[in-house]
Amino acid sequence: MHGPHDGGPNELLKGGGASAEPPPWYGAGCSHVWLPYTQMKTSAPPLPVVRTQGSRIELADGRELIDGVASWWTACHGYNHPHIRAALARQLEILPHVMLGGLLHEQAARLAARLAALLPGDLDRVFFSDSGSVAVEVAMKMAVQYWINSGVRGRKKFVAFRGGYHGDTTGTMAVCDPDEGMHRLFKGLLPEQIIADLPRDETSSDALDRLLAERGDEIAGILVEPLVQGAGGMLFHDAAVLARLRAAADRSGILLIFDEIFTGFGRTGAMVACDSAATGGAGVVPDIVTLGKALTAGTLPLAATVASKKVFDAFWSDDPMHALMHGPTFMGNALACAAANASLDLFEREPRLDQVRAIEAHLTTALAPCRGLPGVVDVRVRGAIGVVELDRIDIAALKARFVQEGVYVRPFGRIVYLTPAFTIGEADLARLTGAIVKVLSTR
Ligand SMILES: *Cc1c(COP(=O)(O)O)cnc(C)c1O
C-alpha cells in the first residue's frame, strides 16, 4: 500500500487476479450480512476489502481501488492517518468508554469546547450521539421541547425542503425529500411534516412566507442542509437562500436548524457551511447545528447536536421535566471523541482547506469535458464535491465499469460524483476524474 501522496497510475491493479478465490471469511459471512439500500438478490456481491491506506482500498485479490467517495464523505484525511491511529491507541489504553450519565471524560469535554469555538455565534452547547440520524432526531426533540419549556403550545411540526436528506430513522425520514425519502412506502408510520421548496427565487420565497404566515404557530423549526443538499442529489444553493431562511424564521419566531452532517468539516471549502466565509460574509447563524460524518474523519461513529445559548436557556430550569429527554448509550464515546479531537488537530496543523481549494480547481477543470457528453445534464463543483448529473443512468453497469478502471465511485439517483479525501494525491485525483470522463464517454 502507499502513503496518501504517492502511487501513480502504473501502480494500480498490482497483482490483479493474483488470487481468484475470495478469502474464507468472505465465503463464511457474505450470505449472513444484509447490506444497506441493496436488493440482495440482484445486486452485484460486495467487494472483499482487506486493507485501506490514504485514498486506496485494497481488495482481497490484491487489486487497489482509488477511493472517490471517502466512505460516505467521512474519511477527510484519508484512511489510517497516523495521528488519528496514535490518538486512538493512547485512548484505548486509558479509557475506551464510560457513559455520560453523571460522568464526563477529557476527550468529550475537549471536543465540546473545540466544537463550540469552531462554530459561529453562540452555538456552544454540545449534545453527543452516535449517528447523524440520531443527531437530527435530537435537534428535532430539542426544538419541540424548546417551545414546551418556553410555555408555548402546539409547535410540533417542521418545515424541511425538497431535495433534502436528514437520515434513515422514522423521525428523520419524514423530513427527507418525499420521493427520495420513501414517504409513500412508510405512510402511516411517519409523522407528517411540511416539505417546501427552498427559497431560491421570488416565487419560492413568497410561497415560504405565505406558508409561515398561515401555519407558523404549528412550526417548531425549519430544517435545512446549508449550501449543499447531499444524499438528496448533491444539489447546490447559495448563501442568499440561507439568509432568506434566517429572516423568515426570525419573522415567525421559529428555530432554524442547519444539518451540517455532510457539509461540516471542510467539504464545501470552509470548516462549516454556516461559517461567514462560506456564506460570503452573510453570517447566517442557525439556532441548532447537527454534525456527524467527517467528525471522526471516518474512523468511529459519532455525531453532535449543538445548541445556541437561546435554545439551551429554555432547558435551564428548576423543573426536572425541562431537561432534554434523550440519552444514547454510547453518547460521547471516548474513543470516538479522541478520534474527533485528533481530526481537529489535523485541520489546525495541516493546510486542509487549501487542499480543498486545490481539489475544487482540479475537479472544475477535469470534469468540464463531461459537459459535452451525450446525456449529461449538468456538471457542478463546490469545494471537494464534484458532480456530473445525467438524464438517465444504469447504476449497476457504471459501478462495474468504475471498478474495472481501478476506482471506487458510487453513482446514485442520476448523478456520478466525487467526494475524495482532502489529502488525495494529484495523480490519484486525476485517475478519478479521468475514469469518470472515460466511462461516461463510452457508456
Ligand atoms: C448522512 C446524513 C445524515 C444521517 O447520518 P447517519 O450517520 O447516516 O445516520 C443526516 N443528514 C445529512 C445531511 C447526512 O448527509
Side-chain angles (χ1 to χ4, degrees), residues 46-370:
L47 302 169
V49 177
V50 291
R51 201 170 284 110
T52 53
Q53 181 65 52
S55 284
R56 303 292 185 96
I57 296 171
E58 186 183 334
L59 303 182
D61 63 7
R63 279 182 296 168
E64 273 185 26
L65 302 179
I66 298 171
D67 186 6
V69 184
S71 283
W72 276 328
W73 331 325
T74 61
C76 53
H77 312 294
Y79 297 111
N80 309 29
H81 195 288
H83 181 64
I84 298 178
R85 254 168 39 205
L88 281 172
R90 257 196 323 276
Q91 193 61 35
L92 192 58
E93 289 274 313
I94 307 167
L95 189 172
H97 178 73
V98 284
M99 64 176 180
L100 289 200
L103 305 170
L104 181 63
H105 54 78
E106 181 184 355
Q107 295 298 339
R110 284 185 56 218
L111 181 58
R114 291 174 91 175
L115 294 177
L118 180 144
L119 290 166
D122 60 1
L123 287 157
D124 66 3
R125 190 64 71 153
V126 181
F127 190 95
F128 290 112
S129 54
D130 34 29
S131 78
S133 302
V134 173
V136 175
E137 297 273 356
V138 169
M140 293 171 75
K141 284 173 77 172
M142 223 178 236
V144 167
Q145 225 187 321
Y146 166 87
W147 291 110
I148 296 170
N149 289 359
S150 307
V152 177
R153 290 171 155 272
R155 285 194 186 252
K156 303 255 160 89
K157 295 263 176 225
F158 289 86
V159 174
F161 298 96
R162 274 192 194 87
Y165 174 80
H166 300 287
D168 285 355
T169 54
T170 307
T172 59
M173 267 197 289
V175 283
C176 289
D177 182 274
D179 299 320
E180 298 288 329
M182 296 163 293
H183 289 204
R184 264 189 304 277
L185 188 57
F186 294 103
K187 198 171 161 55
L189 173 68
L190 302 190
E192 275 189 28
Q193 303 292 8
I194 304 162
I195 309 295
D197 287 320
L198 271 176
R200 290 174 189 274
D201 53 21
E202 218 176 284
T203 315
S204 46
S205 301
D206 290 349
L208 183 67
D209 287 344
R210 271 198 308 281
L211 170 73
L212 295 183
E214 281 164 25
R215 302 186 62 181
D217 52 8
E218 303 167 47
I219 295 165
I222 298 174
L223 176 60
V224 68
E225 295 161 87
L227 301 185
V228 182
Q229 294 177 303
M234 303 283 173
L235 306 164
F236 302 166
H237 57 264
D238 58 27
V241 169
L242 303 178
R244 269 176 225 132
L245 290 177
R246 182 71 271 181
D250 288 344
R251 269 197 302 281
S252 323
I254 295 170
L255 296 178
L256 182 60
I257 306 169
F258 279 3
D259 180 351
E260 293 236 26
I261 290 167
F262 176 47
T263 52
F265 305 104
R267 188 52 69 183
T268 68
M271 272 307 274
V272 282
C274 62
D275 191 336
S276 60
T279 54
V284 183
V285 182
D287 301 296
I288 301 173
V289 169
T290 56
L291 299 168
K293 291 230 158 78
L295 176 56
T296 64
T299 56
L300 285 159
L302 184 70
T305 308
V306 188
S308 63
K309 259 197 172 50
K310 167 175 124 173
V311 171
F312 181 72
D313 280 351
F315 292 79
W316 183 264
S317 154
D318 294 321
D319 185 344
M321 288 309 292
H322 284 187
L324 178 62
M325 294 301 176
H326 205 92
T329 304
F330 285 105
M331 74 181 289
N333 174 265
L335 284 170
C337 289
N341 278 313
S343 172
L344 291 180
D345 294 342
L346 292 173
F347 275 107
E348 284 166 16
R349 288 179 200 167
E350 298 184 4
R352 283 294 174 271
L353 299 186
D354 294 339
Q355 289 169 306
V356 172
R357 265 183 289 280
I359 291 171
E360 181 172 44
H362 184 116
L363 292 174
T364 304
T365 313
L367 293 178
C370 292

